[in-house]
Amino acid sequence: MTGVPFSQLVEASNLLSAVDVSITSMTGLPATATTSPSLPTTPASVAQTTLNWTPSPSEWGPHTVTFNCIDANSKTASTSFNLLVNSSPYFTSAAAPNSANIGVTYSHLFTADDPNLPYGDDLEFVAIGLPSWLTFTDNGNGTATLTGTPSAMDAGTYTFDIHLEDFYHHCGPSVEETVTITVQSNCNTTGTDNVTNCGSYTWANGTTYTQ
């Protein structure tokens, strides 16, 4: 994770314990990564150094780190491992409205950000469990639109999730926001007055009103 200190102990030795070994160099990481003690290490039966690195957002992406060593007989060896630098995306928009009225268009714009965006990362929004009266559109620019007009048949409460993923979160944990919307009727159930924004509504006597 960017901004989070990373530390890894690296050791090198020879099967013949009497032969000293030195860790000579490290490649694959920017200059902000350091080793302690510095390289090359003093020859020893078990050579050790600790990699220390606090990645910045600009260092986003995969890195292959290689450590090289040499023993007293001039025999060399190397070992490599992979590190992935990434930051979690986050929502920047306010919570979606939790109520909608029959016959009235509901709309909400989701916005998000990620410190790695300037360096090649991207964002994707995914709606899970969306009710049929709503449409969700990923605008492809770090925003997504949720919109729809509920009918009287859609009255009730709906709960669903909006997942936010970046390039390296498609196969791992994603950030999510749970949305709960209650579709309310503006109809007066006596059918005598204040019948507005109802869409189509059927009274108890079987009479259907259509706005």
Side-chain angles (χ1 to χ4, degrees):
M1 293 288 291
T2 58
V4 178
F6 172 83
S7 181
Q8 176 66 53
L9 175 66
V10 178
E11 294 182 333
S13 61
N14 192 300
L15 292 176
L16 302 175
S17 58
V19 179
D20 286 346
V21 178
S22 172
I23 301 173
T24 55
S25 62
M26 175 189 72
T27 60
L29 289 182
T32 52
T34 62
T35 57
S36 179
S38 60
L39 304 181
T41 62
T42 302
S45 58
V46 179
Q48 294 183 332
T49 190
T50 299
L51 166 64
N52 296 291
W53 187 30
T54 302
S56 66
S58 64
E59 292 162 339
W60 170 81
H63 299 263
T64 299
V65 189
T66 300
F67 281 87
N68 303 294
C69 66
I70 189 170
D71 68 13
N73 296 321
S74 298
K75 301 295 185 180
T76 60
S78 63
T79 185
S80 298
F81 55 91
N82 296 320
L83 295 175
L84 176 62
V85 176
N86 191 40
S87 300
S88 294
Y90 56 92
F91 288 96
T92 56
S93 49
N98 60 9
S99 64
N101 291 320
I102 292 172
V104 178
T105 299
Y106 175 98
S107 184
H108 180 68
L109 181 69
F110 292 89
T111 60
D113 202 357
D114 187 309
N116 305 133
L117 288 180
Y119 309 103
D121 207 352
D122 60 18
L123 295 178
E124 181 179 354
F125 297 83
V126 180
I128 306 296
L130 199 69
S132 59
W133 63 272
L134 281 171
T135 298
F136 187 77
T137 304
D138 186 337
N139 300 317
N141 60 356
T143 70
T145 304
L146 178 67
T147 186
T149 304
S151 69
M153 297 294 292
D154 299 313
T157 298
Y158 303 85
T159 299
F160 53 93
D161 294 322
I162 305 299
H163 287 238
L164 175 62
E165 303 175 345
D166 65 12
F167 187 83
Y168 289 111
H169 279 98
H170 290 297
C171 298
S174 64
V175 177
E176 64 181 55
E177 183 173 308
T178 298
V179 179
T180 299
I181 302 174
T182 298
V183 177
Q184 302 171 340
S185 172
N186 286 336
C187 298
N188 182 310
T189 56
T190 65
T192 58
D193 57 19
N194 193 34
V195 182
T196 58
N197 298 327
C198 294
S200 178
Y201 191 88
T202 302
W203 307 111
N205 63 9
T207 303
T208 300
Y209 167 85
T210 302
Q211 183 178 334

